[in-house]
């Protein structure tokens, strides 16, 4: 599955995999794709440096990338404590009541919340970049649009390509004007923050809008046949995230959550602002239902919602409270029915791609070797 973009980056397959787990990113890179490590959970620079050191040791000198979250709008001179002080007491009370309704225990004494969405704040992301540019990353992706101009310039000075996610052709054109190298056309089906246009419509629109910039197709892709479809629509590769969650290398640390993912169908996700304050596709749970209920206070805008629910999410995960337990995941979850290694996933993707190409060649009357 080689394209001009994959050859530029020196990877065997035009498969780009976003994941919060270093072991998954490294395994994908070793399997011939490009593993992209999500940085949002690293609030301490030393923790990111530790895992990038590990990536260096486990990628055999092959390329990998980093994904950060830098908001489009910058708020100057505001600390995390000042932001948290903006959270209304009504919302704090709603969190307490929802947890009490389901009997969610507190965290053990001395155990801090392990999930803080402070990486949405620009100063945190800039600290992550200060660490990352000391490593030979080949790609920097931003999940919330184009990074600031100085960040794009800094990446280019380090020989790093910059990618940005887009949910519409209008967003994609804005990225191109900002000097982005790669646009990720992320369809409605995708897990996490996503727009309202489906991949089959979005991908060719974005390809046309930013040509000749390379485009990656994203959203609802989890088979080789779907990769072939994305390339047929003009993309130069695919951006996969959800499919890695049930790999054996993933570090979900929750058998209950893995079981929910394996059992879920394609209709068991919802776009909800419950987790971060922006619409993000995730497993539908009683937690998302509570926040989407018109009788409740409703989610706060980013980053207030992420700060508000941080401890609650940690408690739900720590005690595996099944009715509330969820995670960002796309509609492709309906095909994630077994645990496989990253290498097995890539092997299945390449076999499916070859079958799809052979099928089209037969339809077109071309000989198949």
């Amino acid at each position: 599955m080689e394209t001009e973009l994959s050859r530029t980056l020196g990877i065997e397959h035009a498969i780009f995999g976003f994941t919060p787990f270093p072991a998954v990113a490294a395994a994908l890179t070793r399997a011939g794709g490009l593993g992209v490590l999500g940085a949002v959970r690293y609030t301490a620079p030393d923790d990111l440096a530790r895992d990038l050191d590990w990536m260096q040791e486990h990628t055999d000198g092959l390329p990998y990338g980093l994904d950060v979250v830098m908001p489009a709008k910058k708020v100057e001179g505001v600390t995390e404590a000042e932001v948290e002080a903006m959270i209304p007491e009504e919302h704090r009370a709603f969190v307490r009541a929802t947890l009490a309704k389901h009997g969610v225990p507190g965290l053990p004494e001395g155990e801090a919340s392990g999930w803080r969405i402070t990486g949405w704040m620009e100063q945190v992301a800039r600290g992550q970049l200060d660490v990352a540019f000391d490593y030979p990353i080949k790609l920097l992706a931003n999940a919330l649009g184009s990074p600031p101009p100085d960040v794009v310039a800094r990446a280019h000075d380090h020989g790093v390509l910059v990618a940005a996610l887009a949910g519409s052709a209008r967003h994609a054109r804005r990225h191109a004007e900002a000097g982005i190298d790669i646009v990720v056309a992320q369809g409605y089906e995708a897990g996490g923050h996503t727009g309202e246009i489906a991949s089959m419509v979005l991908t060719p629109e974005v390809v046309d809008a930013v040509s000749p910039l390379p485009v990656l197709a994203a959203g609802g892709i989890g088979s080789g046949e779907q990769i072939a479809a994305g390339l047929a629509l003009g993309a130069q590769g695919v951006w996969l995230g959800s499919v890695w969650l049930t790999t054996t290398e993933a570090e979900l640390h929750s058998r209950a959550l893995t079981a929910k993912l394996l059992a879920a169908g394609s209709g068991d996700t919802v776009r909800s602002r419950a987790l971060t304050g922006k619409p993000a596709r995730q497993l539908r749970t009683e937690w998302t239902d509570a926040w989407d209920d018109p009788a409740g206070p409703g989610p706060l805008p980013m980053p207030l919602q992420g700060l508000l629910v941080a401890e609650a999410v940690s408690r739900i995960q720590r005690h595996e409270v099944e009715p509330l337990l969820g995670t960002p995941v796309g509609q492709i979850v309906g095909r994630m029915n077994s645990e496989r290694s990253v290498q097995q996933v890539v092997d299945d993707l390449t076999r499916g791609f070859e079958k799809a190409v052979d099928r089209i060649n037969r339809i077109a009357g071309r000989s198949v070797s």
Side-chain angles (χ1 to χ4, degrees):
M1 288 187 285
E2 284 191 356
T3 65
E4 182 180 350
L5 179 59
S6 69
R7 288 189 288 271
T8 297
L9 285 164
I11 58 178
E12 182 180 359
H13 305 303
I15 300 172
F16 296 71
F18 163 79
T19 174
F21 308 124
V24 173
L28 176 56
T29 283
R30 293 195 305 272
L34 190 125
V36 182
L37 178 65
V40 70
R41 67 191 180 99
Y42 295 98
T43 56
D46 288 348
D47 291 341
L48 178 58
R50 177 202 63 218
D51 281 358
L52 288 177
D53 284 338
W54 188 92
M55 290 279 293
Q56 278 292 104
E57 295 171 5
H58 293 85
T59 48
D60 301 336
L62 298 168
Y64 60 90
L66 190 76
D67 179 278
V68 297
V69 178
M70 302 191 79
K73 295 180 180 178
K74 181 177 181 179
V75 179
E76 295 280 3
V78 179
T79 66
E80 180 183 337
E82 290 170 330
V83 173
E84 272 202 271
M86 301 176 188
I87 297 172
E89 176 56 31
E90 176 191 14
H91 286 75
R92 296 187 187 277
F94 181 76
V95 170
R96 291 194 295 268
T98 303
L99 295 178
K101 175 183 177 182
H102 292 274
V104 182
L107 294 173
E109 186 174 352
E111 182 175 319
S113 169
W115 188 87
R116 299 287 290 176
I117 296 295
T118 54
W120 309 112
M121 303 175 74
E122 183 175 331
Q123 64 265 34
V124 176
R126 286 185 176 274
Q128 294 163 349
L129 294 178
D130 289 340
V131 172
F133 285 131
D134 288 335
Y135 294 82
I137 62 172
K138 296 300 181 184
L139 178 72
L140 173 67
N142 188 38
L144 288 182
S146 305
D150 67 296
V151 172
V152 176
R154 187 179 178 191
H156 289 165
D157 287 344
H158 283 82
V160 176
L161 297 181
V162 181
L165 276 66
S168 71
R170 177 172 56 86
H171 293 157
R173 281 190 288 268
R174 194 178 302 157
H175 296 340
E177 293 166 0
I180 298 302
D181 305 293
I182 303 166
V183 177
V184 181
Q186 182 168 337
Y188 171 85
E189 309 94 325
H193 297 119
T194 182
E196 299 179 350
I197 304 173
S199 300
M200 185 63 73
V201 174
L202 179 66
T203 301
E205 285 188 353
V206 170
V207 168
D208 290 344
V210 302
S211 179
L213 283 185
V215 172
L216 300 179
I221 300 174
S223 72
E225 291 83 354
Q226 291 169 310
I227 293 176
L231 298 188
L233 293 172
Q236 287 200 34
V238 292
W239 177 272
L240 309 182
S242 298
V243 72
W244 314 114
L245 289 173
T246 51
T247 57
T248 54
E249 292 90 346
E251 301 161 31
L252 285 180
H253 301 303
S254 171
R255 295 306 304 171
L257 180 54
T258 298
K260 288 188 76 169
L261 288 169
L262 294 174
S266 299
D268 292 328
T269 69
V270 63
R271 284 175 78 242
S272 171
R273 294 170 52 217
L275 189 61
T276 69
K278 283 185 175 290
R281 186 171 297 284
Q282 54 203 279
L283 278 180
R284 182 175 181 177
T285 66
E286 293 189 31
W287 177 258
T288 61
D289 286 348
W291 282 104
D292 294 339
D293 188 339
L300 295 167
M302 180 186 282
L304 298 180
Q305 182 71 12
L307 293 170
L308 168 66
V309 304
E311 181 183 344
V313 171
S314 289
R315 288 167 61 181
I316 292 166
Q317 293 176 343
R318 175 72 167 75
H319 299 290
E320 297 191 326
V321 182
E322 197 276 341
L324 304 178
L325 190 62
T327 186
V329 68
Q331 291 180 329
I332 196 63
V333 70
R335 294 180 61 102
M336 294 158 50
N337 301 318
S338 64
E339 291 184 78
R340 298 171 291 167
S341 70
V342 170
Q343 183 66 63
Q344 288 173 321
V345 172
V346 173
D347 289 344
D348 288 345
L349 293 174
T350 55
R351 280 193 293 266
F353 177 81
E354 290 169 358
K355 288 179 182 178
V357 171
D358 287 348
R359 186 182 306 123
I360 294 301
N361 281 333
R362 284 193 293 271
I363 292 171
R366 299 187 181 95
S367 61
V368 179
S369 57

